[in-house]
Amino acid sequence: RRQLNDHKRNRAMSTSAKTQPDALSRVYASALFEAAEDAGGQDAIEATLSELEEILELARENTRFDEFLSSQILGAKERSASIAAIFTGRASDHVVRFLRVLNDKGRLGHLGAVVSAFDELVQKRFGRVEVDVFTATPTQEGDLESLKTRLREALGKEPVLHAYTDEAMIGGLKLRIGDELIDASVATQLRNIRGDLRTGAADLRSKTDQLFD
């Protein structure tokens, strides 16, 4: 489980955090997707996504590595050699080649957007959907499995859940599916109830005033 505040802070600090992909990022992602598929089909594609997300996680946790990826000062040739030294034997050959291509094209600092685009391709091909689950306290595995079952039935896709703890919440849960936020938190329910009560009181006053007009 992750703390929401840490999650937000890490994303904000890292230039390699997952971001909304642009057209060029989707082109690079499609090329990598084809390379991974040629290397071993679905298993290789999923392994590639896992490797890319581990690299992004490393960039989020290690400021020096993040700066290494995005620095405009370091020469492309020098960085390419470093990429080979760091990742050869630790990542798939096609992933290492891909990182070096991004570096040569000056796009390595946009790795987060490329990974987001690659993630979209994986979800589309294999019928999956990423769902962020926010709760006030850590969610039990049994509850996550139950939620996954309900989401699978509702969405018609295989949900991949990412659980986060939001200490600002009173209770209930919030789900982020793509760009949509589904807020079923206790705080939101209380706000809605207060709104309904205010509306009801206003209606009652209006009707009472009409009686004495």
Side-chain angles (χ1 to χ4, degrees):
R1 302 292 180 268
R2 299 178 183 176
Q3 294 293 326
L4 178 63
N5 290 338
D6 290 341
H7 171 66
K8 284 182 175 178
R9 182 165 57 250
N10 286 338
R11 288 174 65 96
M13 288 173 58
S14 176
T15 57
S16 294
K18 276 191 174 182
T19 54
Q20 189 66 28
D22 55 19
L24 189 54
S25 296
R26 289 189 169 92
V27 171
Y28 283 114
S30 296
L32 178 59
F33 192 93
E34 292 177 4
E37 190 167 35
D38 291 342
Q42 181 175 346
D43 288 344
I45 291 170
E46 293 181 338
T48 296
L49 178 59
S50 179
E51 290 176 18
L52 292 172
E53 292 192 327
E54 286 179 9
I55 292 170
L56 289 187
E57 187 66 23
L58 177 60
R60 283 191 284 266
E61 294 176 351
N62 190 314
T63 303
R64 291 183 63 187
F65 180 66
D66 184 41
E67 291 172 350
F68 164 76
L69 293 178
S70 59
S71 174
Q72 299 297 316
I73 300 175
L74 188 63
K77 188 174 181 180
E78 181 182 355
R79 181 160 43 205
S80 181
S82 296
I83 290 171
I86 293 169
F87 292 108
T88 298
R90 296 184 176 89
S92 304
D93 290 344
H94 59 271
V95 169
V96 177
R97 288 195 300 271
F98 182 72
L99 292 175
R100 298 181 76 178
V101 168
L102 283 183
N103 174 63
D104 292 343
K105 301 295 184 182
R107 295 286 297 182
L108 196 56
H110 301 274
L111 180 61
V114 176
V115 176
S116 292
F118 191 90
D119 195 3
E120 288 179 353
L121 292 173
V122 172
Q123 292 183 46
K124 184 177 181 180
R125 171 67 69 87
F126 303 122
R128 296 177 183 169
V129 59
E130 301 277 345
V131 180
D132 291 336
V133 181
F134 303 96
T135 53
T137 57
T139 311
Q140 301 299 315
E141 289 298 329
D143 294 332
L144 285 176
E145 286 301 319
S146 177
L147 177 61
K148 181 182 289 188
T149 298
R150 296 200 300 272
L151 287 171
R152 186 185 298 118
E153 294 172 351
L155 301 174
K157 295 183 178 180
E158 182 62 29
V160 179
L161 304 187
H162 304 285
Y164 301 101
T165 301
D166 183 353
E167 296 177 348
M169 293 175 60
I170 301 173
L173 80 163
K174 293 186 288 187
L175 303 176
R176 187 181 302 280
I177 306 173
D179 294 330
E180 182 177 359
L181 179 65
I182 301 172
D183 192 341
S185 65
V186 170
T188 297
Q189 294 175 22
L190 289 174
R191 284 197 298 271
N192 291 339
I193 291 172
R194 285 196 293 268
D196 291 343
L197 289 174
R198 284 195 295 269
T199 301
D203 289 344
L204 180 60
R205 284 195 299 271
S206 177
K207 291 177 180 178
T208 302
D209 291 342
Q210 291 175 10
L211 288 174
F212 294 97
D213 280 347

